Amino acid sequence: MTQAPPPCDGHVFVADNSNGICTAATALKSGAIVAFPTETVYGLGADAGNDDAVVQIFAAKDRPSFNPLIVHVADTQVARPLVEFTVAAEKLAQRFWPGALTIVLPRRDDAALSLSVSAGLDTVALRVPDHETAQALLTAADCPVAAPSANRSGAVSPTTAKHVAASLPGPEAGGPAYIVDGGACRVGLESTVVDVTGANPVLLRPGGVAAEEIEAIIGPLMAPGEGAPRSPGMLERHYAPATPLRLDASEARPGEALLGFGPNTENAKCNLSPLGNLREAAANLFAMLRELDAENHVGIAVSEVPDHGLGRAINDRLRRAASSAAAC
Ligand code: TXA
Ligand code: MG
């Protein structure tokens, strides 16, 4: 079984207007941690140059210290003093930033970043979010912001402010000082993570930008391992609801709820996308998993999702959720 969520009261929500953003940015600058929306999932942010603040993120999430954090910046120019840009990185940033792509690059020796951000690696993962509130917060705070997904380590990523409150402790217990409520996340899946530090680019995590789109810009992506770098975060148990998942199901067995995809799933309790649209399915995935998980079914049966484009990232999350639930 996954652990029970921590108490979720005591959270302080602020609106995604100029007052709320100013409050959150001031807290960030003073060394507090703050949850905020991005187009992918909600992040739990800290000033990436402040050791104490970054350490609070690891504690609030119960995240292993070997798992590095993504650094969020307002634009490519803010990223330049932090890392050595490679030719592939220039092309990717040009094409996909702002957006759901995280680029892993060699860390500059003089980068003004907490060492904990890289968790002992000589690289930094960077992303420019494509979200008005996230952009306004980065601009107001005027610093790079380290932000993993705003959930307890190993749990499903949050796509609403309420999910954040359900997954993390309140401010008194080491959780975020504020949660900026920006509604539901548009993409709904975490960013794609690509390592371009070596001769061949490596797809560390499929995500919100389809691998095929990236390959069209920089050529074939290698799989992690076998001489290619791995992402420390992908070794962890991840994306786990408490209810066991059964994948590629054509119907629900007794006691199960069906999470459908596409037409011809009339008996589905929830449908990721009745029209079979992968973008819509990605945006619904985590919220529907949470919803069904809360209903105490014997299991969740999931219809087959095509394994191309965003479907690869959806299937990656579903496989992880299925294998960790089965292992419990
Ligand atoms: O969409 C997203 O990426 C969200 C939003 C908030 O930006 N963030 C997110 O962060 O999903 P997190 O920490 O949950 O996942 C980041 C992944 C982890 O698997 C981590 O191991 C990997 O990126 N990562 C971070 N820095 C890395 C580095 N220097 N080298 C390799 N992998 C890295
Ligand atoms: Mg995460």
Side-chain angles (χ1 to χ4, degrees):
M1 294 289 288
T2 49
Q3 283 165 300
C8 62
D9 45 9
H11 286 284
V12 185
F13 295 91
V14 293
D16 61 344
N17 56 23
S18 54
N19 272 349
I21 289 163
C22 179
T23 303
T26 305
L28 273 179
K29 280 196 277 198
S30 71
I33 55 175
V34 163
F36 64 97
T38 80
E39 79 279 30
T40 57
V41 299
Y42 275 71
L44 180 62
D47 174 351
N50 180 331
D51 282 323
D52 291 342
V54 172
V55 166
Q56 285 179 58
I57 290 183
F58 285 90
K61 281 182 58 93
D62 202 11
R63 182 180 177 104
S65 56
F66 62 76
N67 194 0
L69 306 177
I70 296 174
V71 174
H72 297 68
V73 287
D75 58 39
T76 309
Q77 292 317 321
V78 185
R80 292 199 186 280
L82 308 176
V83 290
E84 306 288 351
F85 265 75
T86 60
V87 174
E90 295 287 357
K91 290 185 187 166
L92 291 177
Q94 175 81 24
R95 169 68 182 81
F96 296 108
W97 281 357
L101 176 69
T102 294
I103 309 177
V104 175
L105 284 164
R107 179 181 171 120
R108 285 179 63 123
D109 291 340
D110 58 354
L113 293 175
S114 163
L115 285 175
S116 304
V117 158
S118 298
L121 301 176
D122 53 8
T123 54
V124 178
L126 286 163
R127 184 162 99 79
V128 177
D130 184 14
H131 190 284
E132 207 181 324
T133 307
Q135 279 286 337
L137 185 65
L138 288 169
T139 304
D142 195 25
C143 62
V145 170
S149 51
N151 52 280
R152 196 179 162 83
S153 191
V156 177
S157 290
T159 54
T160 67
K162 274 202 186 117
H163 295 164
V164 177
S167 195
L168 292 178
E172 301 296 319
Y178 299 102
I179 301 174
V180 184
D181 189 348
C185 300
R186 189 175 74 243
V187 176
L189 278 182
E190 303 87 345
S191 61
T192 305
V193 182
V194 174
D195 181 314
V196 289
T197 56
N200 300 306
V202 183
L203 177 65
L204 294 179
R205 177 176 74 179
V209 173
E212 293 91 329
E213 280 188 70
I214 297 169
E215 291 186 322
I217 305 292
I218 56 167
L221 292 168
M222 287 174 71
E226 298 296 318
R230 290 175 191 273
S231 183
M234 300 308 272
L235 305 174
E236 274 190 279
R237 192 174 67 82
H238 239 122
Y239 313 114
T243 314
L245 251 64
R246 190 166 60 81
L247 305 185
D248 299 335
S250 46
E251 58 190 12
R253 293 175 185 158
E256 285 183 340
L258 182 64
L259 177 57
F261 175 81
N264 309 321
T265 45
E266 303 84 30
N267 297 326
K269 266 251 156 194
C270 293
N271 196 323
L272 291 168
S273 171
L275 291 176
N277 179 309
L278 289 170
R279 202 166 284 279
E280 183 184 24
N284 283 330
L285 179 68
F286 290 147
M288 288 185 175
L289 279 178
R290 277 172 191 273
E291 190 180 323
L292 294 177
D293 197 24
E295 291 173 358
N296 291 321
H297 299 284
V298 169
I300 302 170
V302 190
S303 298
E304 186 173 355
V305 175
D307 204 37
H308 59 78
L310 281 185
R312 279 171 70 179
I314 294 171
N315 283 325
D316 169 79
R317 304 308 188 268
L318 285 171
R319 275 194 292 271
R320 282 165 199 284
S323 66
S324 37
C328 292

